[in-house]
Every structure is written in C-alpha cells, then in structure tokens.
Amino acid sequence: MKKSKLPKQALIILSIALVLVISTVMWSSAQITQDTEEEVQSTLRDVATQNALIVQQELRENFNLLYSLADAISVSPDAVNAKSIAAQLGSFVSTYEFKRIGFVSPDGQVISTDGYVQDLSSRDFFKDGMQGLPGITNTLQDRLGTPEPINVFSIPVYDQSDSIIGVLFATYRNQHFEEILGVQSFNNQGFSCLVNQDGDLIATSSNAPASLQEADRMSDYLTQDARNDQPLQDLHTLLQSSSSNGGYFYGGSQKYYYYAAAMDNLRSDRQWFALTIVPDQVLSSRSAPILFQVRLLILLIIVIAGVGTFAFVHSIRTRRRQLYRLAYVDPLTNGDNFACFKEKLSHRGGDSGFYVALDLQDFKLINNTCGVAKGDETLLEVWKILQTGTHLGEFSAHINADRFILFLRDNDRCTLEPRLECLCQDISNLSTKLNIPKLFPLCGIYETADHKEIEQNYGKAVQAIYPIKGKRTRHYAFYDELDIKQLSEDRLMEDVFEDALKNGEFQLWYQPKVDPVTGNILGAEALIRWKRPDGTMLSPGKFIPLFEKNGNITTLDEYVFRTVCAQQQRWLQAGAKLYPISVNISRVSLYYSNVVDKYREILNSFRLDPKYVPLEITESATIDNSDISSLIEQFHEAGFTLLLDDFGSGYSSLSSLNVMHFDTIKLDKSLIDYIGDRNGEKLLLHITQLLQSFGMTITAEGVETSDQVEFLKNLHCDDIQGYYFSKPLPVNEFEDFVRKHTGL
C-alpha cells in the first residue's frame, strides 16, 4: 500500500499557516510597539505643553505685577528709598511669594523690601535693564540674605520723560519652578525640567535623576553617556531653533524620550523650554502585557482565535484609556483637566458662550485650619456641583488648587446670572455640610465665540474677578465691567495707604449727638476723612469699599479706634468733661476671631472706661456674619457699649433684635425722611415704642429739619445726630461746639 502523503501535505499547510500566523503576529507586535510609542509621545507632548503654559502664566503674572509697580514708582521717582520700598512693595512679597522686591538705582545700589543695601552694578540683569531690556535670569545663587537658588525678574523703570531711572527686580525662589514641574506624570516615572536655548538648566522636578539635578547644563548630563553624541547634537539644534519638538537620549541602561515645549519669547535671547522626559521602560511596561498576549496567540490562535482577538482588542482599548487618563483626567476630581477642556472646546467652531473662571476666596484657610484632606474633600464636592450644573454641550474642568473653569452656552446674561447665583449658593452651602469655614465662590465671566485662544479667554475671565475679590458682596463679575481708570486709582490708593497712615493723612471728624429737648451735647460719632498732601479730600465712600476688599480696613478700623482713645485721654488729662465718642467697626474686622481681645487691649493701653468709646456695627454686617450674636456677647463682657447703625436701611429684622442685644439703635436717615408722611410716621412710632420696650436707647441719624426734631421729641428719642444741629467737625471746631452746648 502506498504511503499517504496527507501528513506531509498537512504539515506543509500547517507550516505555511504557522508562518503566516507568526508573520502576522510579528507585524502586529511591531505595529503595537509603534502605536504605543506614538501615544506615549503624544501624551509626553501634552504634559510638556501644559507645564509650559503654567510656567508662562506664572511669568506673565509676575511681570504684570512689576510693570504695575514700575508705573507707580515712575509717578513719584523721588520717593524711591529704603523706607518707601518696604512700604510700597512689601505687601506684594508674600502675596506673590517672592523672596524680595527691590529697586536698583543707576549707580547700581539696591534697596529691597528685606532691608539689604548692596552694589549690583555688575549683575547682567541690571545692565540689561539700564539698556531698556526686561528679563528673567537663569538660576543664580542669592547673594543677599539666605543663600539659595533664585531667578531674578527685572524691568527698566522710566520717569515721566521716558528716561530710565533704575531697574525694578523681584527675587523668585527657584523652588517654585520645581513645585510647578512636580506634577506627577506617567505614574511618577516621568520627570520635567526647564532649560534655556543654550541648554542651561533652570529647574528640575524633585523626582528627576540626581545626576540631572546636580548638572548645570543638559550637555553636562548627556555627555555622561558616550551614546549621546547624536542626541546631544539634535537637542542643541532643537533648542537653537526655538521650536517645540521631541527626541531621545540614553542614560545608564535606559533610553529616554523627551518633548521640549517652547515658551513665548520674552526676548530673542531668553527662550525657555519645558522638557518632559520619560524612560523607555514606560513604553515597554505598557506594551509587554499586549505582546505577551500576542505571543500566546501563536500557540492558541487556531483554538482560541476569537478569545485571543477579544483580549487583544480589549487590551488596546484599556491602554488607550490609561493614556487618555494621564493626559486629560484630573487626578483629584477624576474629571476633565484643562488640557481636556481645551481639546473639547477647540471643536466647538463659532459657538458663542461664556468662559467662567471660578475660585474659592480664602480657600487656603480651609487647608490651614481643617487639613489638606478636608480641602481635597471640599474640592471634590465643588466638582460634583459643577457637574450637575452643566448642560449638554457645556464643559467644566479643574485647573489646579481651588481654580475651576466652565464653558456655559446661555443665550444671554439674563439666563446666565440665575444659574451662577444658584451655583454659588450651592457651593456656599457646603460650609455647613462639611463643617468648614464659610465658602465664598468668585466667578469671572468672559463672553466670546472665538475659541482659538482658549488660554487668553480664560485669562480675561480671571481678570474679571479682581474688582470683586475680597469684598464678599458679589459672587461674579463680567470682563466688560472692568473699569481700567478705577483700577488704576484703586491701585494708587493701595500703594500709598501705609504712608498715608504714618503721615497723618487720615483725619478724624466728629459729628455731635445732642439732646432733642435741650440741645445739649450728649456725645459724637468719629468719622474718617482722607486729606492728601495736595489738599484733596477723599470721601470715605471712595476708599472704604476698596480697603474692605483688600483687607486694609482692619488696619484703618484699629487706627480710628486708637486715635479716638488717644483724643479722649488728652481731654481727660486737660480736665475736660468726657462724652462718648462712638467708633465704627467694619464687617471685615468682625470676621477675625480675636477682634474683641484686640480692641480690649487697645482700650486698656489708654486706661479708659469703655463707655467713652462705644462701637457702632452696621445692620448689614449682622446679616453676613453668623457669629454676630457670640461677638456681641464678648464685646459686652469686655464692657463695651454697642450701637446698631443704619437700622431700617433695608435689612431690618425686628425679631433678630431679641437675639442680638444692642444697647442703642440708630435709626437710618431713610426712616427719618418718612416724617411728614402719615403712614411713615405711624411706622416710626411703632418701631420706637417696640425698641424702647426692649430697653434700648434710640439715636436718630440724618435729622435736617425742625419738623423732624419736633416729631422726634414727641417720640422721646434719646439723642439726635444730623445737619440740623451740626455737620461733622474737625477736632478744634468740635471742641468749640462742646463748649457752647454743655448745658452748664
């Protein structure tokens, strides 16, 4: 019998099939490796670009500050000295986290906020500044104060005739750049650094190899491996071209991939790059599971082809999801990050909508008092609210820290504003839910249909927040509401505030309170006025709201209280009869837990009876502060007399007076103006009778006519304050008024 050739033919067919399978598998393996490498490079590019954007934003904010300060200096160049530097610039050091801010005169002498005086004429940044060139230095060792790595921002300062009068600089701790670069990427296997076009290292992330952190230049690091001749040349060419691109190099047993993202040029010789670097093992570790499954297919392809194919496809999708998460998912919220927000919005075409920049005022207070874990929990709850508040076709993202961004597609402001009110109220309510300090969200809004420059649109939304920041009166503002002239005036008042206090520009005027029956004086209210050196008198309505926003109001409140105490002490030492001089205390001061102790200490330092310096609290402040009842009790325990100011101005709640035990109620002028109207007079009659039944004394404000005086007499009003008897008076005129109306 002839031997069958079937086994041989079958073997040939099987061999051919096996060769085809192996060839297919090998081709697939190569393709998978290539795809994985491309996706890693894409993620690398996104991370480097995002780092570059964050660093650019930091540089832009710092230079904008220096230009603003330079404008203020140029207005009054003769005032540039150590004292004015500390006064004008010192407040910005901690706010912008600088080490110091200083001014270098044309002879190279520096005066700085931390008091150092030194010759910096040999420094390149000073020479450049005197040539009219702004800039930021490479990393230097600080020669002033504690030695540490720094970068120096510098700009020329011009006088009114456009002549350079010196160089303004800010010392920036290099550590801040390291913190910016410290955002985790590729499961913390990736690391980042900043370099300039010459390859000098500016900063590195903390997880970078020690040899890179110790190097001064990229060439110093790369030349440690002989295989890097070509990669070093390629990197040099890339940096000199001032363009963004990727490449590779070797280090030890590793091959590294990098992407260099070029930043906007400050100057042609100041090109910086953000480099994000990842080891080759990231690529191999991600492709290894897939390749293992592919090799397994060589043995099982015939039997479990379907299962193998499914596993292969599933692995591809899983890997892509992981890469997508690294590039576009925020690690805290597990939602979209800014890169994802931009990617989504870039496909919206010409859709008009509102960019909403949202942050939480004084959020650092939560981290400081409740811990970072509670802060993260708060941000997660805010993110949930934002998610439920967005509709189809709208986007939201977590930028960093307590900053978020939204894109809302309302037709107009009339429909947008109620949504923002509801959104802000929901966020504010988290304070009770999470048992944390009061949250106050702030929203800046910029409307546009142009989505080509998303970062710039977000920046304009952020700018819209500035006028309402710190006021706690509004939750949102629109970009087109910005008043550039008013912002400039406000900045000037902020800059001269401390000098104005020291120079006695803030003056106290006194408006008498008199007995409506006898006309004798019973006391007065201290009112602040600001008289500038040129004789201009600024009304409180111009500077009080500004100082409430930036926090200076607490200093001004204490100044007024201290000044009144000092004046009472002088009258007491002169043998004059003392009358109570009431002092206003702002709502901002009431937010500080130690406010009662502070005012008690001031009073004790003058050895005065607290009855001679009663405190006035506005009615609106009692509405905003949930702790007001406790504060009132503390003030009473300290011996202070408390007056409720502006009662009836629009916030009145008669039932709340049973909880807040004030000694005196000051009827607002809006109620006094009801006199002459029958229904209004009935209202005044019942209000005064109710207040008197509570045992409270009553002061009528804004009294201007004799008819008003007669009506208030019949109501048995305790004292009257208004132009009918006297306008606010400087101290000398007030003393004359007292002598004429003592009833002696």
Side-chain angles (χ1 to χ4, degrees), residues 458-492:
Y458 171 63
K460 291 178 180 178
V462 171
Q463 288 181 16
I465 296 177
Y466 294 159
I468 62 174
K469 201 162 191 175
K471 291 184 176 180
R472 289 184 176 264
T473 57
R474 294 179 60 188
H475 284 291
Y476 59 86
F478 290 85
Y479 178 77
D480 56 14
E481 294 177 342
L482 293 178
D483 186 339
I484 304 302
K485 181 180 178 181
Q486 185 61 49
L487 288 176
S488 178
E489 292 178 356
D490 288 350
R491 187 179 297 113
L492 178 60

Side-chain angles (χ1 to χ4, degrees), residues 355-390:
Y355 285 77
V356 180
L358 182 147
D359 64 26
L360 306 174
Q361 185 164 299
D362 299 327
F363 178 75
K364 290 182 179 179
L365 182 63
I366 296 176
N367 282 335
N368 293 339
T369 60
C370 304
V372 174
K374 179 63 74 171
D376 289 346
E377 181 185 357
T378 302
L379 295 177
L380 283 171
E381 291 296 327
V382 171
W383 175 249
K384 292 177 184 177
I385 292 173
L386 298 185
Q387 290 297 95
T388 58
T390 52

Side-chain angles (χ1 to χ4, degrees), residues 705-722:
T705 68
S706 58
D707 290 340
Q708 291 174 341
V709 173
E710 289 302 316
F711 183 82
L712 292 169
K713 284 181 183 178
N714 295 329
L715 292 183
H716 304 292
C717 183
D718 295 280
D719 52 71
I720 289 178
Q721 179 181 349

Side-chain angles (χ1 to χ4, degrees), residues 31-32 179 182 494 509 574 696-697:
Q31 189 64 39
I32 291 168
E179 293 172 353
E494 289 177 333
W509 290 35
M696 299 176 179
T697 59

